[in-house]
Amino acid sequence: MAPSTYLSFFIIISMIFICHALSPTPSPKLYERICKESGQKDFEQRCLKLIEAYPQITLIEDYLTFCRSFLKIVAIEKAVKSQQQVKEIMNKYPSSQPIKECGDDYNTVVIEVQGALREDPEMISMAVNYASDALDMCERSLADEKIVNTSSIVALNHDMKLYTNIVVIAGAPVAQWIERPFPKRKVVGSTPTWRVSFFAQNALLFFFLKEKCILNDQLINSSF
Ligand SMILES: *[C@@H]1O[C@H](CO)[C@@H](O)[C@H](O)[C@H]1NC(C)=O
């Protein structure tokens, strides 16, 4: 091979390296990680599609802001709209008990997602979980509806469940950060230091209880 061939080969290889260095794979954005968290491909696809319709939410980089923005901009409006639709179906079939129950469940959904926005950060996930439970209850009620075609409510549930699950997933790390001042012990009892302090704590507790018992005995004895 002529030296120029080597040279151009070298240049091409170098360029490939430089291009790779200049365009590193971008790390996934927060919303992408949230959508992926469930581990379900179908959920992930629907989640990405939903959130990508709100460019301002795709830019958010912390979980708490994500939860509150998603609630404020997306989930609450969706919940209120769904509640309205269920109410209309309820008015159309006033004798259906399962649909009436779904109406009540959707009132809960709205109350919980609106409440979640006002909640302390560590309670957001829990409040939205109640909303999610209400959707499950509606779903179960509908199984008893044998006359009216409830496929439109089933579809509403399916959508609303996506919205609540997104907040539940995004809200879980918020709650964990707040718990952090009390770190969890990984392997309880296996480290000697932990065993020593465990013994020490129990010894203290033992002496404390003993003191209390003696005191109580004295009190009991003196009162008779
Ligand atoms: C219920 O209605 C939907 C359309 O709203 C329709 O696709 C479905 O086949 C209906 N189901 C039954 C059991 O009639």
Side-chain angles (χ1 to χ4, degrees):
M1 264 194 278
S4 66
T5 318
Y6 281 113
L7 186 64
S8 56
F9 187 67
F10 175 73
I11 288 171
I12 289 167
I13 296 291
S14 307
M15 277 174 70
I16 290 171
F17 271 104
I18 289 167
C19 287
H20 266 278
L22 289 181
S23 60
T25 339
S27 58
K29 296 209 177 76
L30 181 72
Y31 82 95
E32 291 171 325
R33 273 184 283 147
I34 291 167
C35 290
K36 227 184 173 67
E37 184 66 33
S38 75
Q40 291 165 0
K41 259 297 169 250
D42 171 61
F43 178 90
E44 185 184 339
Q45 293 308 320
R46 293 168 67 219
C47 174
L48 291 173
K49 191 162 171 257
L50 170 63
I51 295 173
E52 278 162 4
Y54 302 88
Q56 72 270 48
I57 296 179
T58 63
L59 301 175
I60 294 170
E61 288 176 352
D62 72 281
Y63 286 100
L64 181 56
T65 312
F66 180 93
C67 283
R68 291 193 165 146
S69 304
F70 186 82
L71 281 167
K72 205 184 294 179
I73 301 168
V74 191
I76 292 175
E77 195 185 313
K78 173 74 179 175
V80 171
K81 232 181 236 168
S82 307
Q83 179 193 38
Q84 196 52 43
Q85 281 169 280
V86 174
K87 217 172 263 171
E88 281 163 19
I89 298 169
M90 206 168 84
N91 292 339
K92 207 163 147 193
Y93 304 102
S95 59
S96 166
Q97 190 59 29
I99 294 176
K100 191 187 164 298
E101 275 162 27
C102 274
D104 293 341
D105 294 330
Y106 268 86
N107 293 341
T108 306
V109 171
V110 169
I111 289 167
E112 293 298 341
V113 294
Q114 283 176 339
L117 192 57
R118 295 186 296 268
E119 280 289 1
D120 291 336
E122 77 274 19
M123 301 298 285
I124 292 175
S125 200
M126 195 192 280
V128 177
N129 226 338
Y130 287 135
S132 183
D133 287 347
L135 292 168
D136 289 341
M137 284 198 281
C138 167
E139 190 85 46
R140 260 175 270 141
S141 305
L142 291 183
D144 295 332
E145 178 54 66
K146 306 292 185 210
I147 301 160
V148 182
N149 183 342
T150 54
S151 65
S152 57
I153 303 180
V154 172
L156 283 177
N157 283 349
H158 187 59
D159 278 354
M160 196 64 225
K161 197 84 186 172
L162 171 67
Y163 289 63
T164 56
N165 282 343
I166 290 172
V167 184
V168 170
I169 290 172
V174 177
Q176 273 161 24
W177 286 334
I178 288 157
E179 283 169 15
R180 199 173 278 179
F182 313 100
K184 290 187 188 95
R185 270 173 221 281
K186 282 203 186 99
V187 216
V188 175
S190 69
T191 49
T193 50
W194 164 236
R195 224 174 286 156
V196 167
S197 71
F198 181 77
F199 173 75
Q201 281 173 10
N202 278 289
L204 266 176
L205 187 67
F206 175 72
F207 283 116
F208 175 74
L209 286 175
K210 208 175 136 210
E211 288 291 298
K212 284 282 264 189
C213 292
I214 291 167
L215 206 66
N216 282 349
D217 280 349
Q218 282 169 351
L219 282 176
I220 290 163
N221 287 341
S222 64
S223 60
F224 283 105

